[in-house]
Amino acid sequence: MRFNRQRREVCVPKEKGGDYWYVPWETVKASVEGFNMVSQAGVNRNGSLMIGFPNPDFNGEVKLGGNGFSTNEDAERHLWFPNVVPEVGASMWEVIRTYMEEGPEHVKVDTEDFTVQKEGILEAYIKGVKKSIAKRGWFKAFLWDGIFGLILCNTLLVDYIYRKHLNPPPDLKGEKVQQWSKSLPKEQWARRSPELEQAIQVREAELARQSAA
């Protein structure tokens, strides 16, 4: 899936056929759920994040389940993140929302793993060890990056997997989607709908009253 903040759309691959939906950003919906599991070991807090992408070209009746999402894959596709506590799920959604509404410069997460790596795997590992030595000292760096990272977790293999599957992210194929992905002049960027602008103003007013109380 590809989020295009200039067009305020999300490109969602179809389940079958190799084509794509171009879903208006303001129709995308998200839900964070949380629950507690009680066992002899105590209380385990768990949850999930689900994001729904309604098909803009679907003309049939949309039936929603109890969670507010459609089970018909022709009407709606889903992105589901299980086994995350509600705070983490909400934070994951906030990263996406911030990128689309405010811009990438406001996203406060490390995106280094998803950028094109200029150095090789071994060179990147040595660079990381040097940073660890400067931050933790020789002894802790040896334990963390040497014994734990290299021997137990196989850092070099993990880096290889990142590069193989995430670096760079897989491209979307087809002339239409390639054109859709190209940057637009600033004056052609899509704007928020009047309904969203009004909803934001109402929400900001509510937050202001809550902070003043």
Side-chain angles (χ1 to χ4, degrees):
M1 297 178 183
R2 178 170 294 175
F3 291 79
N4 190 325
R5 63 181 304 267
Q6 295 182 4
R7 297 180 183 272
R8 293 181 66 79
E9 292 179 336
V10 185
C11 179
V12 181
K14 285 185 179 179
E15 185 70 20
K16 301 176 183 179
D19 203 352
Y20 305 95
W21 300 347
Y22 299 93
V23 181
W25 162 244
E26 292 184 19
T27 68
V28 175
K29 53 189 179 182
S31 172
V32 175
E33 297 181 347
F35 57 89
N36 293 330
M37 298 177 62
V38 181
S39 67
Q40 293 180 343
V43 179
N44 180 29
R45 200 152 177 254
N46 210 328
S48 64
L49 165 66
M50 180 176 283
I51 306 175
F53 303 91
N55 182 359
D57 300 320
F58 185 75
N59 297 319
E61 181 182 359
V62 179
K63 296 182 179 180
L64 302 180
N67 60 356
F69 294 87
S70 173
T71 57
N72 184 349
E73 292 185 347
D74 292 327
E76 187 172 290
R77 295 292 308 282
H78 306 110
L79 193 58
W80 184 48
F81 300 91
N83 302 322
V84 294
V85 296
E87 291 81 2
V88 172
S91 297
M92 293 169 66
W93 169 247
E94 180 62 14
V95 168
I96 298 174
R97 189 207 65 80
T98 300
Y99 169 77
M100 290 296 288
E101 291 293 346
E102 301 177 31
E105 65 276 7
H106 296 280
V107 177
K108 306 301 182 182
V109 296
D110 184 9
T111 60
E112 183 177 349
D113 289 335
F114 302 98
T115 58
V116 177
Q117 301 292 328
K118 296 181 180 180
E119 62 268 351
I121 294 176
L122 184 59
E123 184 182 356
Y125 173 73
I126 295 174
K127 181 180 177 181
V129 170
K130 290 180 178 179
K131 287 183 178 179
S132 182
I133 292 172
K135 181 179 180 181
R136 301 184 177 93
W138 279 97
F139 181 70
K140 290 184 177 180
F142 172 74
L143 291 177
W144 182 257
D145 296 278
I147 296 179
F148 182 76
L150 186 60
I151 299 176
L152 297 180
C153 295
N154 201 340
T155 305
L156 300 182
L157 177 61
V158 172
D159 193 0
Y160 170 78
I161 293 173
Y162 266 127
R163 293 167 187 256
K164 187 71 174 178
H165 294 283
L166 300 176
N167 185 10
D171 203 0
L172 302 177
K173 299 178 181 180
E175 179 63 26
K176 183 177 179 180
V177 71
Q178 293 297 332
Q179 292 296 325
W180 178 89
S181 300
K182 291 181 179 179
S183 297
L184 296 174
K186 186 80 172 183
E187 61 273 11
Q188 295 182 18
W189 287 18
R191 300 289 184 263
R192 292 172 176 168
S193 67
E195 293 80 7
L196 179 58
E197 288 286 3
Q198 183 178 5
I200 291 174
Q201 293 176 10
V202 171
R203 179 58 178 164
E204 289 178 345
E206 291 177 354
L207 293 174
R209 286 195 298 269
Q210 292 175 7
S211 61

